[in-house]
Amino acid sequence: MEQIKDIPYFFNLSENRQIILETNIKEHSPDSKRRKLFDVCRTRWIERIKGMDVFDEFYIPIVHALEDMHYNIGKICNSDTSTKATIHLKVLTSFDFLATFMILKHVFMMTLPVTTMLQSKTNDIMDGIHLIESLKLDADSSRSSVQEIHDQWYKEALSLRIVVELQQSKSTGLMCHFITLHQSTSLDQ
């Protein structure tokens, strides 16, 4: 959860980082109307859930933006930004992170209706009771089909990891080709 909270701060506190992220959002999520990450607030649960949803939507652009900063594409990042991007990239692309993120996302999405009701200015106690009962039924249902749910969430995390690995191997291959090309042209001069 800490990494999901840190990433919006990392991008939102720097105009250069935000530009790199927006460029990657336009490239990899062109249909999205959003261009910024939500801060994942500790006290406002609805914002936390929405922030996780936006993080999920922009996961691939985030990884690409961090790669751009890691390799310092365009030479607009300082060494501190490049180092922090490398650390975030390593964490966000680990399977442990992806599996944990999938679990958190799905559990938080289950609680969204109750959370929304509890944080609204007008609460109808009967609506709250019905939503909580519904949440309890969902939790009981999840317990009885835990293997199927595990398999589904595992497949989601695995497929996201495969996409990231494929894209990273393409990027790394292109970057190695670019560096080799750059070194050979530098030697020619």
Side-chain angles (χ1 to χ4, degrees):
M1 189 67 191
E2 252 340 274
Q3 290 83 10
I4 297 169
K5 183 182 72 109
D6 289 346
I7 292 295
Y9 292 127
F10 177 73
F11 284 107
N12 295 341
L13 292 178
S14 164
E15 188 176 344
N16 283 345
R17 295 178 202 163
Q18 184 60 39
I19 289 169
I20 294 169
L21 177 62
E22 287 177 13
T23 302
N24 279 285
I25 290 171
K26 288 175 189 172
E27 182 178 338
H28 299 284
S29 297
D31 298 333
S32 179
K33 303 277 187 249
R34 296 184 183 105
R35 293 292 180 237
K36 287 185 92 169
L37 296 171
F38 278 36
D39 289 334
V40 181
C41 180
R42 287 179 179 251
T43 57
R44 301 286 301 172
W45 280 78
I46 296 170
E47 277 76 21
R48 178 180 285 193
I49 296 169
K50 287 180 183 176
M52 289 185 75
D53 194 40
V54 171
F55 185 90
D56 184 39
E57 177 185 352
F58 289 156
Y59 177 77
I60 297 296
I62 290 168
V63 168
H64 283 286
L66 292 170
E67 284 178 337
D68 290 352
M69 288 181 245
H70 166 73
Y71 291 115
N72 202 4
I73 306 290
K75 303 291 183 208
I76 62 172
C77 297
N78 60 32
S79 62
D80 184 51
T81 295
S82 185
T83 300
K84 287 179 182 176
T86 303
I87 293 166
H88 286 309
L89 186 62
K90 183 176 169 105
V91 170
L92 293 186
T93 57
S94 74
F95 186 76
D96 288 346
F97 170 81
L98 290 171
T100 303
F101 176 66
M102 285 299 144
I103 293 166
L104 283 173
K105 179 184 86 164
H106 286 289
V107 169
F108 279 170
M109 290 309 284
M110 283 175 51
T111 66
L112 183 61
V114 173
T115 303
T116 303
M117 193 277 311
L118 291 173
Q119 284 190 281
S120 69
K121 293 183 185 202
T122 58
N123 299 1
D124 179 2
I125 195 72
M126 291 309 294
D127 287 342
I129 289 171
H130 293 298
L131 286 172
I132 290 169
E133 287 299 321
S134 176
L135 180 58
K136 284 172 50 180
L137 288 172
D138 286 348
D140 288 341
S141 172
S142 296
R143 269 189 245 138
S144 65
S145 58
V146 72
Q147 189 60 47
E148 292 85 18
I149 291 171
H150 168 271
D151 292 347
Q152 175 193 348
W153 295 354
Y154 179 83
K155 285 177 186 173
E156 286 180 38
L158 190 59
S159 66
L160 198 51
R161 179 67 187 132
I162 289 168
V163 167
V164 167
E165 281 181 5
L166 286 173
Q167 291 182 353
Q168 282 182 327
S169 67
K170 287 180 186 176
S171 296
T172 305
L174 289 173
M175 190 52 64
C176 289
H177 179 71
F178 172 76
I179 290 169
T180 305
L181 219 74
H182 179 69
Q183 288 174 339
S184 68
T185 55
S186 296
L187 294 173
D188 292 342
Q189 295 175 355

